PDB file of all heavy atoms in Angstrom:
ATOM      1  N   GLU C 152     -38.178  51.338   6.339  1.00 35.00           N
ATOM      2  CA  GLU C 152     -39.574  51.260   5.903  1.00 35.00           C
ATOM      3  C   GLU C 152     -39.795  51.800   4.505  1.00 35.00           C
ATOM      4  O   GLU C 152     -40.886  51.761   3.989  1.00 35.00           O
ATOM      5  CB  GLU C 152     -40.470  52.007   6.889  1.00 35.00           C
ATOM      6  CG  GLU C 152     -40.678  51.202   8.148  1.00 35.00           C
ATOM      7  CD  GLU C 152     -41.736  51.820   9.022  1.00 35.00           C
ATOM      8  OE1 GLU C 152     -42.473  52.692   8.543  1.00 35.00           O
ATOM      9  OE2 GLU C 152     -41.819  51.435  10.169  1.00 35.00           O
ATOM     10  N   ARG C 153     -38.700  52.284   3.923  1.00 35.00           N
ATOM     11  CA  ARG C 153     -38.875  52.862   2.581  1.00 35.00           C
ATOM     12  C   ARG C 153     -39.136  51.787   1.547  1.00 35.00           C
ATOM     13  O   ARG C 153     -38.848  50.622   1.754  1.00 35.00           O
ATOM     14  CB  ARG C 153     -37.636  53.665   2.210  1.00 35.00           C
ATOM     15  CG  ARG C 153     -37.556  54.928   3.033  1.00 35.00           C
ATOM     16  CD  ARG C 153     -36.550  55.847   2.433  1.00 35.00           C
ATOM     17  NE  ARG C 153     -36.642  57.134   3.099  1.00 35.00           N
ATOM     18  CZ  ARG C 153     -36.067  58.210   2.641  1.00 35.00           C
ATOM     19  NH1 ARG C 153     -35.392  58.163   1.531  1.00 35.00           N
ATOM     20  NH2 ARG C 153     -36.171  59.329   3.293  1.00 35.00           N
ATOM     21  N   SER C 154     -39.603  52.246   0.405  1.00 37.00           N
ATOM     22  CA  SER C 154     -39.990  51.302  -0.636  1.00 37.00           C
ATOM     23  C   SER C 154     -38.801  50.509  -1.152  1.00 37.00           C
ATOM     24  O   SER C 154     -37.653  50.929  -1.071  1.00 37.00           O
ATOM     25  CB  SER C 154     -40.593  52.073  -1.811  1.00 37.00           C
ATOM     26  OG  SER C 154     -40.687  51.244  -2.909  1.00 37.00           O
ATOM     27  N   THR C 155     -39.109  49.378  -1.693  1.00 36.00           N
ATOM     28  CA  THR C 155     -38.078  48.556  -2.325  1.00 36.00           C
ATOM     29  C   THR C 155     -37.744  49.102  -3.698  1.00 36.00           C
ATOM     30  O   THR C 155     -36.764  48.710  -4.298  1.00 36.00           O
ATOM     31  CB  THR C 155     -38.607  47.132  -2.517  1.00 36.00           C
ATOM     32  OG1 THR C 155     -39.751  47.207  -3.353  1.00 36.00           O
ATOM     33  CG2 THR C 155     -38.945  46.492  -1.214  1.00 36.00           C
ATOM     34  N   THR C 156     -38.545  49.972  -4.241  1.00 41.00           N
ATOM     35  CA  THR C 156     -38.409  50.332  -5.658  1.00 41.00           C
ATOM     36  C   THR C 156     -37.812  51.714  -5.838  1.00 41.00           C
ATOM     37  O   THR C 156     -38.269  52.493  -6.656  1.00 41.00           O
ATOM     38  CB  THR C 156     -39.769  50.267  -6.339  1.00 41.00           C
ATOM     39  OG1 THR C 156     -40.647  51.130  -5.634  1.00 41.00           O
ATOM     40  CG2 THR C 156     -40.307  48.876  -6.359  1.00 41.00           C
ATOM     41  N   MET C 157     -36.800  52.008  -5.054  1.00 48.00           N
ATOM     42  CA  MET C 157     -36.224  53.346  -5.162  1.00 48.00           C
ATOM     43  C   MET C 157     -34.904  53.328  -5.915  1.00 48.00           C
ATOM     44  O   MET C 157     -34.001  52.593  -5.581  1.00 48.00           O
ATOM     45  CB  MET C 157     -36.019  53.933  -3.774  1.00 48.00           C
ATOM     46  CG  MET C 157     -37.317  54.337  -3.117  1.00 48.00           C
ATOM     47  SD  MET C 157     -37.035  55.251  -1.639  1.00 48.00           S
ATOM     48  CE  MET C 157     -36.640  53.970  -0.502  1.00 48.00           C
ATOM     49  N   ILE C 158     -34.813  54.161  -6.934  1.00 51.00           N
ATOM     50  CA  ILE C 158     -33.559  54.364  -7.655  1.00 51.00           C
ATOM     51  C   ILE C 158     -33.144  55.795  -7.355  1.00 51.00           C
ATOM     52  O   ILE C 158     -33.926  56.715  -7.572  1.00 51.00           O
ATOM     53  CB  ILE C 158     -33.759  54.245  -9.166  1.00 51.00           C
ATOM     54  CG1 ILE C 158     -34.289  52.857  -9.518  1.00 51.00           C
ATOM     55  CG2 ILE C 158     -32.480  54.537  -9.911  1.00 51.00           C
ATOM     56  CD1 ILE C 158     -33.273  51.788  -9.565  1.00 51.00           C
ATOM     57  N   PRO C 159     -31.954  56.008  -6.854  1.00 49.00           N
ATOM     58  CA  PRO C 159     -31.577  57.391  -6.573  1.00 49.00           C
ATOM     59  C   PRO C 159     -31.336  58.165  -7.862  1.00 49.00           C
ATOM     60  O   PRO C 159     -30.836  57.608  -8.830  1.00 49.00           O
ATOM     61  CB  PRO C 159     -30.267  57.235  -5.791  1.00 49.00           C
ATOM     62  CG  PRO C 159     -29.718  55.936  -6.260  1.00 49.00           C
ATOM     63  CD  PRO C 159     -30.888  55.071  -6.595  1.00 49.00           C
ATOM     64  N   ALA C 160     -31.710  59.420  -7.874  1.00 48.00           N
ATOM     65  CA  ALA C 160     -31.394  60.265  -9.021  1.00 48.00           C
ATOM     66  C   ALA C 160     -29.922  60.607  -8.944  1.00 48.00           C
ATOM     67  O   ALA C 160     -29.335  60.605  -7.869  1.00 48.00           O
ATOM     68  CB  ALA C 160     -32.231  61.524  -8.975  1.00 48.00           C
ATOM     69  N   VAL C 161     -29.337  60.921 -10.088  1.00 45.00           N
ATOM     70  CA  VAL C 161     -27.908  61.203 -10.113  1.00 45.00           C
ATOM     71  C   VAL C 161     -27.580  62.426  -9.275  1.00 45.00           C
ATOM     72  O   VAL C 161     -26.571  62.484  -8.593  1.00 45.00           O
ATOM     73  CB  VAL C 161     -27.449  61.446 -11.565  1.00 45.00           C
ATOM     74  CG1 VAL C 161     -25.983  61.810 -11.590  1.00 45.00           C
ATOM     75  CG2 VAL C 161     -27.678  60.202 -12.367  1.00 45.00           C
ATOM     76  N   GLU C 162     -28.482  63.387  -9.332  1.00 43.00           N
ATOM     77  CA  GLU C 162     -28.229  64.643  -8.618  1.00 43.00           C
ATOM     78  C   GLU C 162     -28.145  64.418  -7.104  1.00 43.00           C
ATOM     79  O   GLU C 162     -27.475  65.128  -6.405  1.00 43.00           O
ATOM     80  CB  GLU C 162     -29.334  65.663  -8.905  1.00 43.00           C
ATOM     81  CG  GLU C 162     -29.430  66.090 -10.371  1.00 43.00           C
ATOM     82  CD  GLU C 162     -30.103  65.047 -11.229  1.00 43.00           C
ATOM     83  OE1 GLU C 162     -30.850  64.218 -10.673  1.00 43.00           O
ATOM     84  OE2 GLU C 162     -29.854  65.045 -12.441  1.00 43.00           O
ATOM     85  N   GLU C 163     -28.871  63.435  -6.621  1.00 36.00           N
ATOM     86  CA  GLU C 163     -28.886  63.204  -5.181  1.00 36.00           C
ATOM     87  C   GLU C 163     -28.575  61.741  -4.893  1.00 36.00           C
ATOM     88  O   GLU C 163     -29.456  60.969  -4.527  1.00 36.00           O
ATOM     89  CB  GLU C 163     -30.273  63.530  -4.607  1.00 36.00           C
ATOM     90  CG  GLU C 163     -30.679  64.962  -4.792  1.00 36.00           C
ATOM     91  CD  GLU C 163     -32.137  65.153  -4.416  1.00 36.00           C
ATOM     92  OE1 GLU C 163     -32.607  64.473  -3.481  1.00 36.00           O
ATOM     93  OE2 GLU C 163     -32.794  65.954  -5.058  1.00 36.00           O
ATOM     94  N   PRO C 164     -27.328  61.322  -5.071  1.00 29.00           N
ATOM     95  CA  PRO C 164     -27.013  59.921  -4.829  1.00 29.00           C
ATOM     96  C   PRO C 164     -27.321  59.564  -3.370  1.00 29.00           C
ATOM     97  O   PRO C 164     -27.067  60.350  -2.470  1.00 29.00           O
ATOM     98  CB  PRO C 164     -25.523  59.813  -5.116  1.00 29.00           C
ATOM     99  CG  PRO C 164     -25.135  61.097  -5.723  1.00 29.00           C
ATOM    100  CD  PRO C 164     -26.157  62.102  -5.375  1.00 29.00           C
ATOM    101  N   ALA C 165     -27.903  58.424  -3.186  1.00 28.00           N
ATOM    102  CA  ALA C 165     -28.241  57.991  -1.839  1.00 28.00           C
ATOM    103  C   ALA C 165     -28.222  56.482  -1.798  1.00 28.00           C
ATOM    104  O   ALA C 165     -28.413  55.826  -2.815  1.00 28.00           O
ATOM    105  CB  ALA C 165     -29.631  58.498  -1.475  1.00 28.00           C
ATOM    106  N   PRO C 166     -27.949  55.923  -0.652  1.00 27.00           N
ATOM    107  CA  PRO C 166     -27.921  54.465  -0.572  1.00 27.00           C
ATOM    108  C   PRO C 166     -29.289  53.875  -0.867  1.00 27.00           C
ATOM    109  O   PRO C 166     -30.308  54.447  -0.502  1.00 27.00           O
ATOM    110  CB  PRO C 166     -27.512  54.204   0.874  1.00 27.00           C
ATOM    111  CG  PRO C 166     -27.875  55.454   1.603  1.00 27.00           C
ATOM    112  CD  PRO C 166     -27.711  56.559   0.637  1.00 27.00           C
ATOM    113  N   ILE C 167     -29.300  52.763  -1.579  1.00 27.00           N
ATOM    114  CA  ILE C 167     -30.567  52.105  -1.876  1.00 27.00           C
ATOM    115  C   ILE C 167     -30.784  51.031  -0.816  1.00 27.00           C
ATOM    116  O   ILE C 167     -29.905  50.225  -0.553  1.00 27.00           O
ATOM    117  CB  ILE C 167     -30.530  51.469  -3.267  1.00 27.00           C
ATOM    118  CG1 ILE C 167     -30.313  52.574  -4.289  1.00 27.00           C
ATOM    119  CG2 ILE C 167     -31.800  50.702  -3.557  1.00 27.00           C
ATOM    120  CD1 ILE C 167     -30.025  52.058  -5.666  1.00 27.00           C
TER     121      ILE C 167
END
Side-chain angles (χ1 to χ4, degrees):
Chain C
E152 284 190 14
R153 289 194 171 193
S154 167
T155 60
T156 57
M157 287 189 281
I158 300 280
V161 177
E162 297 77 22
E163 298 170 34
I167 299 170

